[in-house]
């Protein structure tokens, strides 16, 4: 018995050593190929032809070694019968996918999948070029092959031609009773396991074995992007969002992204929170896919109890008790092993997740274990199956209280102008919640191009008072001598998201009116890019006053408290100014302006939600700014913001006013970089004085009572569960009360000083 145990142990160790050596050798070979590829473009092309191909279906596409071909539009139309809807086999954010038959040189007619860009789609030339660039370099039996493309002048037609995979997507078989006109029978456990292993091989190849100068992060791993060929082999598809990182760095190498992209339900919460994309983000998404395979339910399901909306979060909370599919032939032990692998992929800290290489090894072990009864495994594989994994239980699992939402306002587009519905009466609530009636006429005024050119001296650079990614702001003088701020959009190319932001700003600000909201005076659509005209706020942003040392000296606690109260009052107003709450979605100090009297004005309603979103349409672009975004929003990844999301963002602003620290910093320890996490933990642990701005402390570091009360309010705003946060109305009332007590106290002190002097 001891001899057998020792033998198994030695074989296991030997097997692992051999496996690791093989992986190291592969990477060294790839590195050599990279060096040789720099010598000439022809050498690089030959490398792509010979790249790492493995799996059960290495010959499923006879074109794996071919280069992308540029097809004519006539060839594409012939293959699809002039884009006949009868040949549509799928629809997505890019556009429609058609089944066609096309003649490749020397191969005769073969079936292909043809993806045609919808010109109204949010996705466009960037994703189109990324797909071609990426797939022209990748050759693997578990990566969908790109055969060619067509791009017409002015990008009116952008078409991609792929190998055709007749068995649809993994999503079709898991969640759809009928797809592409056919009935899909349930996948067996062995089929599910092999498909997952195939997809894992494809991702591992992207992360470690592409044989090119960089490693690939897919960024949109999900069941609908795992396609199945005629032999039921799984293949990774859709590289439009993919990003690359240096090959010589480790799997945790991160890539900073300005804009969060991906699909809700599969998105790594760490990436959402930090904008730092790693290969472990793909591992997280793959873990969601594994649980889809195990549970037979989609990543997001709003028909379930709110605790179970998000499959990833539900499984992290209750993965040992969650109901899994019953396929009869699979043992409970195998199911538990599979669930363990999926669970570890979803761990909060990316460093605790396995690499895709490790996932491949674990799935191979599980497949071997499953096939044991058929005597298809070696003694080494049996030894491997003895391994167990210990999984820590994360302490930061959160649920989300989500309100039912509807589809956002749609706007008609015609020519160079847009139909802008300006509804509501801004004077209606003039007596409520601090509303005013000095809106310069109520509805937004339409300016001519000539008027705004004259007001800005033809966009004179000396008139620029602010510049961002999407707009430049000029100081302007109108014909009536009124000074205004004129925002000119940058890179406005007619995309749907930019149109929506412009329309939102006009629609929202034309319907609401409050002394602490920046007023929209008008707009202009005669120019190539739209202009928005606002009241001019002379004293810069709150960010300047908090974080600019020379300006922050003037920001006394009395002023900070009054600014916080004014912001809270404005947000309380917009949350209740319409039948459906208006959610700002981007509350932060740079979007709060300050006038000469230090009166706060909330601005920038471009990403505001005038009406809730359609729950069936999950956005792949995240709203908000990192450091201020509601953690429930990215933990549950439902693409839904609520009024409590603004409360969280306001809590971060309140913490900035109290501490003088920025929302995100990358210089200190990791656990102190996020102010939204640092501030409440410091309060709970009795370390509040360590994070407060030292200028707010009394002698010997004593904290005044009103600052303690405001700090406690900030902690409640920053709670991870939305239903534990106060409403903005409650926040505004509490701050108003603290401010009144503060002002009375100051008045009493002044009276005493006056009496002493007299």
């Amino acid at each position: 018995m001891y001899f057998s145990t020792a033998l198994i142990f030695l074989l296991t160790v030997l097997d692992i050593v051999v496996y690791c050596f093989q992986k190291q050798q592969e990477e060294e070979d790839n590195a050599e190929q990279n060096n040789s590829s720099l010598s000439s473009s022809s050498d690089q092309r030959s490398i792509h032809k010979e790249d790492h191909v493995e799996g059960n279906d290495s010959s499923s596409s006879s074109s794996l070694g071919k280069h992308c071909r540029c097809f004519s539009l006539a060839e594409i139309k012939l293959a699809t019968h002039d884009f006949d809807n009868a040949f549509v086999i799928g629809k997505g954010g890019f556009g429609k996918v058609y089944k066609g038959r096309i003649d490749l040189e020397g191969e005769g007619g073969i079936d292909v999948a043809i993806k045609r860009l919808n010109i109204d789609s949010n996705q466009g030339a960037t994703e189109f070029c990324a797909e071609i660039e990426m797939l022209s370099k990748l050759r693997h039996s578990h990566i969908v092959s790109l055969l060619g493309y067509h791009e017409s002048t002015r990008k009116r037609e952008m078409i991609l031609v792929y190998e055709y995979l007749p068995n649809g997507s993994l999503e079709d078989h898991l969640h759809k009773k009928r797809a592409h006109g056919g009935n899909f029978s349930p996948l067996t456990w062995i089929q599910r396991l092999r498909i997952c292993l195939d997809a894992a091989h494809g991702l591992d190849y992207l992360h470690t074995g592409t044989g090119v100068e960089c490693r690939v992060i897919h960024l949109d791993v999900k069941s609908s992007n795992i396609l199945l060929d005629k032999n039921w082999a799984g293949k990774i598809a859709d590289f439009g969002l993919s990003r690359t990182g240096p090959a010589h760095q480790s799997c945790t190498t991160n890539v900073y992204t300005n804009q969060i992209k991906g699909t809700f339900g599969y998105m790594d919460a760490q990436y959402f929170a930090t904008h730092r994309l790693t290969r472990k983000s793909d591992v997280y998404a793959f873990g969601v896919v594994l649980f889809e395979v195990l549970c037979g339910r989609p990543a997001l399901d709003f028909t379930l109890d709110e605790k179970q909306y998000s499959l990833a979060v539900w499984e992290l909370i209750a993965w040992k008790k969650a109901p899994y599919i019953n396929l009869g032939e699979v043992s409970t032990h195998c199911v538990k092993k599979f669930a363990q692998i999926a669970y570890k992929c979803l761990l909060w800290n990316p460093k605790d997740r396995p690499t895709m290489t490790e996932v491949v090894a674990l799935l191979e072990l599980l497949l071997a274990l499953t096939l044991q009864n058929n005597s298809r495994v070696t003694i080494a594989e049996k030894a491997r199956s003895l391994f167990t994994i210990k999984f820590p239980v994360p302490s930061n699992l959160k649920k989300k209280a989500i309100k039912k939402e509807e589809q956002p306002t749609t706007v008609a587009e015609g020519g160079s102008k847009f139909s802008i519905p300006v509804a509501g009466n801004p004077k209606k609530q003039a007596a409520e919640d601090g509303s005013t009636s000095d809106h310069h006429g109520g509805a937004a005024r339409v300016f001519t191009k000539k008027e705004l050119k004259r007001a800005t001296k033809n966009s004179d650079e000396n008139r620029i008072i602010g510049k961002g990614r999407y707009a430049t702001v000029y100081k302007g003088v109108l014909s009536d001598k009124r000074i205004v701020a004129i925002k000119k959009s940058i890179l406005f190319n007619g995309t749907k998201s930019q149109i929506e932001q412009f329309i939102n700003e006009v629609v929202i600000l034309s319907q609401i009116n409050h002394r602490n909201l920046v007023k929209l005076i008008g707009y202009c659509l005669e120019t190539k890019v739209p202009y928005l005209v606002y009241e001019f706020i002379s004293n810069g942003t709150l960010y300047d006053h908090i974080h600019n040392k020379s300006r922050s000296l003037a920001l006394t606690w009395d002023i900070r408290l009054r600014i916080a109260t004014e912001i809270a009052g404005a947000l309380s107003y917009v949350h209740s100014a319409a039948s459906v709450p208006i959610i700002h979605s981007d509350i932060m100090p740079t979007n709060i302006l300050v006038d000469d009297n230090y009166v706060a004005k909330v601005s920038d309603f471009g990403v505001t939600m005038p009406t809730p979103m359609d729950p069936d349409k999950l956005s792949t672009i995240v709203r908000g700014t990192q450091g201020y975004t509601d953690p429930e929003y990215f933990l549950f990844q439902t693409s839904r913001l609520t009024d409590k999301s603004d409360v969280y963002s306001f809590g971060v602003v309140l913490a900035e006013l109290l501490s003088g620290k920025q929302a995100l910093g990358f210089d200190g320890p990791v656990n102190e970089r996020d102010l939204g996490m640092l501030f409440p933990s410091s309060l709970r642990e009795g370390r509040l004085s360590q994070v407060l701005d030292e200028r707010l402390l009394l002698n010997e570091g004593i904290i005044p009572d009103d600052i303690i009360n405001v700090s406690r309010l900030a902690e409640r705003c920053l709670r991870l569960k939305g239903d534990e946060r106060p409403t903005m109305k409650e926040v505004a009332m509490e701050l108003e009360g603290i401010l009144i007590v503060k002002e009375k106290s100051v008045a009493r002190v002044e009276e005493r000083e006056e009496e002493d002097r007299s």
Side-chain angles (χ1 to χ4, degrees):
M1 178 178 177
Y2 292 111
F3 176 77
S4 300
T5 303
L7 178 61
I8 291 175
F9 177 77
L10 289 173
L11 287 171
T12 301
V13 172
L14 178 62
D15 195 46
I16 292 172
V17 170
V18 171
Y19 181 79
C20 294
F21 176 78
Q22 287 175 339
K23 290 299 297 184
Q24 181 180 0
Q25 189 63 42
E26 286 177 10
E27 294 193 2
E28 289 175 356
D29 291 344
N30 288 334
E32 291 177 4
Q33 288 180 331
N34 291 340
N35 293 332
S36 63
S37 68
L38 295 176
S39 61
S40 69
S41 59
S42 60
D43 289 341
Q44 183 169 333
R45 286 195 295 269
S46 67
I47 289 174
H48 295 328
K49 287 183 180 181
E50 298 170 1
D51 240 355
H52 176 70
V53 176
E54 56 185 66
N56 297 327
D57 188 28
S58 60
S59 61
S60 62
S61 175
S62 58
S63 61
L64 287 178
K66 306 283 185 188
H67 302 306
C68 286
R69 170 181 162 185
C70 183
F71 291 97
S72 68
L73 185 59
E75 288 178 293
I76 302 295
K77 286 186 173 183
L78 180 63
T80 60
H81 293 247
D82 199 12
F83 301 111
D84 189 336
N85 283 333
F87 290 84
V88 173
I89 56 175
K91 295 179 182 179
F94 188 95
K96 294 180 179 178
V97 182
Y98 300 82
K99 180 182 178 181
R101 192 165 182 82
I102 205 160
D103 184 28
L104 291 181
E105 295 178 7
E107 296 187 11
I110 64 168
D111 289 334
V112 293
I114 298 174
K115 185 160 67 173
R116 183 191 191 193
L117 173 68
N118 178 355
I119 58 173
D120 295 325
S121 168
N122 283 332
Q123 301 183 44
T126 302
E127 288 82 357
F128 176 79
C129 294
E131 189 95 357
I132 297 174
E133 174 71 16
M134 200 68 66
L135 285 178
S136 64
K137 297 177 180 178
L138 306 179
R139 289 293 179 262
H140 190 273
S141 60
H142 298 300
I143 301 291
V144 170
S145 295
L146 179 69
L147 305 181
Y149 65 95
H150 170 79
E151 181 180 11
S152 62
T153 56
R154 299 183 181 179
K155 300 188 184 298
R156 299 298 296 176
E157 284 285 2
M158 287 185 282
I159 299 168
L160 296 169
V161 181
Y162 305 89
E163 63 173 320
Y164 174 67
L165 302 179
N167 279 318
S169 71
L170 178 59
E171 180 191 45
D172 294 335
H173 294 271
L174 295 177
H175 311 312
K176 297 180 181 179
K177 293 181 180 179
R178 295 181 63 86
H180 313 326
N183 288 312
F184 282 148
S185 59
L187 296 169
T188 66
W189 172 247
I190 295 297
Q191 284 178 317
R192 291 170 192 246
L193 192 50
R194 288 190 185 280
I195 290 168
C196 291
L197 182 55
D198 291 342
H201 272 298
L203 288 174
D204 182 36
Y205 165 71
L206 295 177
H207 290 182
T208 64
T210 56
V212 292
E213 292 180 32
C214 57
R215 300 302 189 229
V216 179
I217 304 171
H218 187 279
L219 190 52
D220 203 17
V221 176
K222 53 186 176 181
S223 56
S224 60
N225 284 340
I226 298 174
L227 305 184
L228 308 175
D229 70 8
K230 62 182 180 180
N231 297 318
W232 299 95
K235 300 197 176 195
I236 302 293
D238 201 342
F239 286 76
L241 300 181
S242 295
R243 299 294 298 268
T244 58
H248 64 278
Q249 296 182 9
S250 68
C251 283
T252 56
T253 300
N254 57 53
V255 178
Y256 180 82
T257 59
N258 290 327
Q259 193 175 49
I260 296 289
K261 292 189 177 183
T263 300
F264 278 105
Y266 300 89
M267 198 183 299
D268 178 9
Q270 283 279 352
Y271 164 53
F272 191 114
T274 65
H275 284 223
R276 304 283 172 172
L277 178 66
T278 75
R279 280 166 262 184
K280 294 296 183 73
S281 301
D282 280 351
V283 174
Y284 181 95
F286 187 71
V288 179
V289 172
L290 292 180
F291 272 123
E292 281 187 88
V293 168
L294 198 55
C295 299
R297 60 150 286 189
L300 292 176
D301 189 345
F302 299 116
T303 64
L304 301 175
D305 180 82
E306 67 178 33
K307 294 180 181 179
Q308 302 179 37
Y309 283 158
S310 168
L311 176 60
V313 176
W314 170 240
E315 290 296 348
L316 279 174
I317 295 171
W319 71 279
K320 289 186 178 180
K321 299 179 181 179
Y324 301 135
I325 56 169
N326 182 10
L327 294 176
E329 82 276 16
V330 57
S331 70
T332 303
H333 181 65
C334 289
V335 168
K336 288 182 178 179
K337 288 289 185 183
F338 190 90
Q340 284 179 338
I341 299 169
Y343 175 82
K344 194 166 186 183
C345 290
L346 297 181
L347 290 178
W348 172 262
N349 190 336
K351 292 182 180 179
D352 293 335
R353 301 172 199 158
T355 64
M356 283 311 305
T357 299
E358 292 168 335
V359 172
V360 168
L362 291 169
L363 289 174
E364 285 179 338
L365 297 180
L366 185 57
L367 180 60
L369 180 64
T370 305
L371 296 173
Q372 270 187 359
N373 293 335
N374 296 330
S375 300
R376 296 179 183 176
V377 290
T378 66
I379 189 168
E381 288 172 326
K382 289 180 180 179
R384 278 185 180 182
S385 68
L386 298 176
F387 281 102
T388 58
I389 311 167
K390 295 181 179 180
F391 302 97
V393 178
S395 59
N396 52 0
L397 301 175
K398 309 299 167 189
K399 72 173 185 177
K400 184 172 184 180
I402 303 171
K403 297 182 179 179
K404 187 175 181 181
E405 299 179 340
E406 302 168 2
Q407 191 172 356
T409 303
T410 56
V411 181
E413 179 183 350
S416 62
K417 296 189 177 183
F418 309 101
S419 174
I420 303 175
V422 180
N425 183 357
K427 297 183 180 180
K428 184 176 180 180
Q429 300 194 29
E432 303 177 14
D433 301 318
S435 302
T436 60
S437 57
D438 59 342
H439 196 283
H440 302 296
R445 171 186 165 188
V446 179
F447 287 91
T448 65
K449 175 181 177 181
K450 185 177 180 181
E451 286 179 293
L452 296 190
K453 286 185 70 174
R454 185 166 58 243
T456 61
K457 290 189 176 181
N458 200 21
S459 300
D460 188 345
E461 287 190 1
N462 293 325
R463 291 291 188 97
I464 295 176
I465 56 176
K467 198 165 187 178
R469 283 184 297 167
Y470 302 115
T472 301
V473 182
Y474 297 85
K475 181 178 180 180
V477 182
L478 301 180
S479 56
D480 60 2
K481 307 302 181 184
R482 194 175 359 148
I483 298 177
V484 294
I486 300 173
K487 184 163 74 173
K488 176 183 178 182
S489 296
I490 295 174
L491 300 175
F492 187 90
N493 56 14
T495 63
K496 187 177 179 181
S497 60
Q498 288 176 306
I499 293 171
E500 285 178 348
Q501 289 192 19
F502 170 74
I503 297 302
N504 276 351
E505 193 97 21
V506 176
V507 173
I508 293 297
L509 290 178
S510 296
Q511 295 185 81
I512 57 179
N513 191 30
H514 190 279
R515 62 173 172 262
N516 297 116
L517 297 177
V518 172
K519 293 180 177 62
L520 177 70
I521 296 173
Y523 57 90
C524 174
L525 287 171
E526 290 183 11
T527 51
K528 290 182 180 180
V529 294
Y531 284 77
L532 292 171
V533 183
Y534 305 88
E535 65 172 322
F536 178 71
I537 309 299
S538 56
N539 208 5
T541 69
L542 180 59
Y543 181 92
D544 296 331
H545 290 275
I546 296 176
H547 302 300
N548 185 323
K549 291 183 179 179
S550 61
R551 303 188 73 173
S552 64
L553 293 174
L555 208 61
T556 64
W557 170 241
D558 291 350
I559 293 175
R560 297 182 199 213
L561 179 57
R562 180 162 53 80
I563 286 173
T565 305
E566 289 169 345
I567 299 167
L571 290 176
S572 174
Y573 165 73
V574 298
H575 284 184
S576 59
S579 57
V580 177
I582 296 170
I583 303 167
H584 186 282
S585 310
D586 205 17
I587 295 296
M588 57 180 176
T590 53
N591 286 339
I592 298 166
L593 305 182
V594 181
D595 69 11
D596 288 334
N597 297 316
Y598 288 95
V599 174
K601 305 264 187 176
V602 179
S603 70
D604 202 344
F605 284 76
V607 296
T608 294
M609 298 301 299
T611 57
M613 298 178 67
D614 183 345
D616 295 326
K617 296 182 178 179
L618 302 181
S619 173
T620 58
I621 298 179
V622 174
R623 296 172 182 268
T625 300
Q626 62 177 131
Y628 301 90
T629 310
D630 178 3
E632 270 199 335
Y633 177 46
F634 65 75
L635 275 172
F636 279 78
Q637 302 179 17
T638 60
S639 80
R640 298 173 173 188
L641 291 169
T642 72
D643 54 348
K644 294 296 183 72
S645 302
D646 279 352
V647 174
Y648 182 88
S649 302
F650 175 77
V652 180
V653 174
L654 204 53
E656 286 185 84
L657 284 167
L658 287 161
S659 68
K661 299 179 183 294
Q662 296 195 28
L664 282 181
F666 296 100
D667 297 331
V670 174
N671 61 340
E672 295 183 5
R673 293 178 181 178
D674 187 333
L675 184 61
M677 299 295 178
L678 172 65
F679 192 89
S681 65
S682 299
L683 179 64
R684 289 191 295 266
E685 295 167 8
R687 299 184 292 106
L688 180 60
S689 60
Q690 296 177 21
V691 295
L692 286 177
D693 189 329
E694 59 184 15
R695 288 170 291 184
L696 304 184
L697 303 176
L698 300 176
N699 292 333
E700 298 180 357
I702 297 174
I703 307 174
D705 290 342
D706 53 345
I707 292 180
I708 291 176
N709 291 333
V710 175
S711 298
R712 288 172 177 166
L713 177 60
E715 185 274 331
R716 285 161 48 212
C717 292
L718 292 172
R719 289 182 181 173
L720 295 173
K721 296 182 179 180
D723 56 6
E724 293 181 0
R725 302 172 201 153
T727 64
M728 280 312 308
K729 185 174 182 179
E730 292 168 338
V731 172
M733 291 176 64
E734 189 166 337
L735 285 172
E736 187 78 30
I738 295 172
L739 181 61
I740 291 172
V741 171
K742 174 73 174 176
E743 290 175 342
K744 286 182 178 179
S745 176
V746 171
R748 284 195 296 269
V749 171
E750 290 176 348
E751 287 175 4
R752 289 171 189 161
E753 290 176 349
E754 183 66 26
E755 289 173 359
D756 292 341
R757 283 194 295 269
S758 62

